[in-house]
């Protein structure tokens, strides 16, 4: 069941044995802790996700990432209007690509073709190799990215976290971890963090599987965006 920002604050205060009128933490402080817990959870469970497309251009290796990207999970290349043309790109680190293709930075005709690999160059940019040639850089050819995005902060009492609802109630334990850190109670802070991690690890496999299957059926059997070919966290 979805849990609102107001309900999360109330649950944290109940476990702290505090009230809104008698508390160590203002609403604004707890809201910041809640949003920190949402962002941490998003990275850990690798959700929420979005699937976007970027138009390929002839002889162009580099493309701009979505501004809210945190982790690139999978990537594909091709024309979805042509049956069987969209195929996975292997998501690699720059170091791995350099081992596989030492001359990947060449700007020669021989380094053009149909893209096979994708790397994350920096927090704003991806690069594909080979660079699209004249046949692969035409209109209708796309780079598809399945990526984990940074959830927007919640600020209104009625808002709910942009995470699968099964995780909403667990967020309180990460918030309690931060609260006890602030109160200099290391033992309770560690206990709450362990409680949070234990619950997340118990439910993550089932949630990941269900969400991946949902994205698979949305695309159809030709493109399984749930298949894990590789992933890369953006460099800082």
């Amino acid at each position: 069941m979805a849990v609102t920002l107001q309900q999360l604050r109330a649950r944290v205060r109940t476990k702290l044995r505090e009230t809104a009128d008698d508390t160590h933490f203002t609403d604004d402080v707890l809201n910041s802790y809640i949003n920190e817990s949402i962002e941490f959870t998003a990275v850990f469970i690798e959700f929420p996700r979005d699937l976007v497309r970027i138009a390929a251009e002839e002889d162009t290796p580099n493309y701009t990432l979505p501004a809210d990207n945190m982790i690139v999970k999978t990537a594909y290349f091709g024309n979805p209007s042509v049956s069987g043309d969209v195929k996975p790109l292997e998501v690699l680190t720059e170091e791995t690509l350099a081992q596989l293709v030492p001359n990947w930075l060449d700007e020669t005709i021989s380094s053009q073709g149909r893209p096979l690999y994708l790397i994350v160059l920096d927090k704003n940019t991806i690069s594909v190799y080979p660079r699209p040639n004249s046949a692969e850089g035409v209109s209708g050819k796309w780079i598809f990215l399945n990526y984990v995005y940074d959830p927007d902060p919640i600020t209104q009492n009625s808002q709910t976290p942009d995470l699968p609802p099964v995780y909403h109630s667990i967020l309180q334990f990460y918030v309690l971890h931060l609260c006890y850190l602030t109160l200099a109670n290391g033992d309770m802070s560690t206990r709450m963090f362990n409680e949070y991690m234990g619950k997340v690890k118990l439910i993550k496999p089932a949630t990941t599987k269900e969400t991946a299957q949902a994205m698979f059926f949305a695309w159809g059997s030709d493109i399984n965006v749930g298949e894990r070919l590789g992933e890369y966290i953006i460099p800082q």
Side-chain angles (χ1 to χ4, degrees):
M1 177 182 294
V3 180
T4 66
L5 177 62
Q6 185 175 35
Q7 289 171 329
L8 278 169
R9 287 198 310 267
R11 293 183 184 188
V12 169
R13 286 190 171 123
T14 296
K15 286 184 169 56
L16 289 171
R17 298 180 181 178
E18 297 184 349
T19 67
D21 297 322
D22 182 17
T23 179
H24 291 88
F25 305 98
T26 65
D27 284 358
D28 286 344
V29 170
L30 287 183
N31 290 350
S32 71
Y33 288 174
I34 289 168
N35 281 302
E36 183 176 338
S37 74
I38 293 171
E39 186 171 27
F40 180 86
T41 303
V43 173
F44 188 73
I45 68 173
E46 300 178 340
F47 285 101
R49 297 186 193 178
D50 197 5
L51 186 63
V52 298
R53 61 175 71 187
I54 303 169
E57 299 179 24
E58 182 180 353
D59 198 33
T60 301
N62 298 339
Y63 301 87
T64 302
L65 277 165
D68 59 354
N69 172 71
M70 291 199 298
I71 304 171
V72 174
K73 289 291 297 177
T74 52
Y76 304 82
F77 180 86
N79 184 344
S81 298
V82 177
S83 179
D85 189 60
V86 178
K87 299 184 184 302
L89 294 173
E90 191 165 359
V91 181
L92 306 174
T93 64
E94 181 180 335
E95 292 77 10
T96 301
L97 179 60
Q99 291 177 356
L100 290 173
V101 189
N103 62 338
W104 70 276
L105 286 171
D106 285 0
E107 297 179 356
T108 60
I109 294 296
S110 63
S111 61
Q112 293 184 359
R114 181 184 174 97
L116 300 174
Y117 306 110
L118 180 145
I119 65 172
V120 178
L121 283 177
D122 56 44
K123 66 180 180 179
N124 299 315
T125 313
I126 56 170
S127 185
V128 296
Y129 181 88
R131 304 187 315 282
N133 59 17
S134 58
E136 303 298 340
V138 297
S139 176
K141 293 282 188 173
W142 300 89
I143 299 166
F144 296 90
L145 293 179
N146 176 22
Y147 74 100
V148 181
Y149 65 84
D150 189 6
D152 288 332
I154 55 176
T155 58
Q156 303 300 315
N157 284 335
S158 59
Q159 285 184 287
T160 59
D162 188 7
L163 296 171
V166 68
Y167 290 101
H168 291 189
S169 293
I170 298 174
L171 296 173
Q172 62 185 298
F173 296 103
Y174 190 87
V175 176
L176 286 163
H177 153 67
L178 296 175
C179 288
Y180 283 118
L181 273 180
T182 301
L183 296 172
N185 188 334
D187 289 343
M188 282 300 294
S189 178
T190 299
R191 178 178 172 183
M192 291 298 101
F193 184 78
N194 290 339
E195 185 80 10
Y196 163 84
M197 291 297 294
K199 292 180 182 297
V200 169
K201 288 179 180 179
L202 279 174
I203 64 176
K204 181 183 176 183
T207 305
T208 301
K209 180 179 179 181
E210 290 174 2
T211 307
Q213 287 177 340
M215 294 185 74
F216 169 76
F217 289 122
W219 269 84
S221 58
D222 288 337
I223 307 172
N224 182 358
V225 298
E227 182 179 359
R228 181 169 178 159
L229 296 174
E231 62 186 51
Y232 194 54
I233 301 176
I234 60 172
Q236 299 299 318

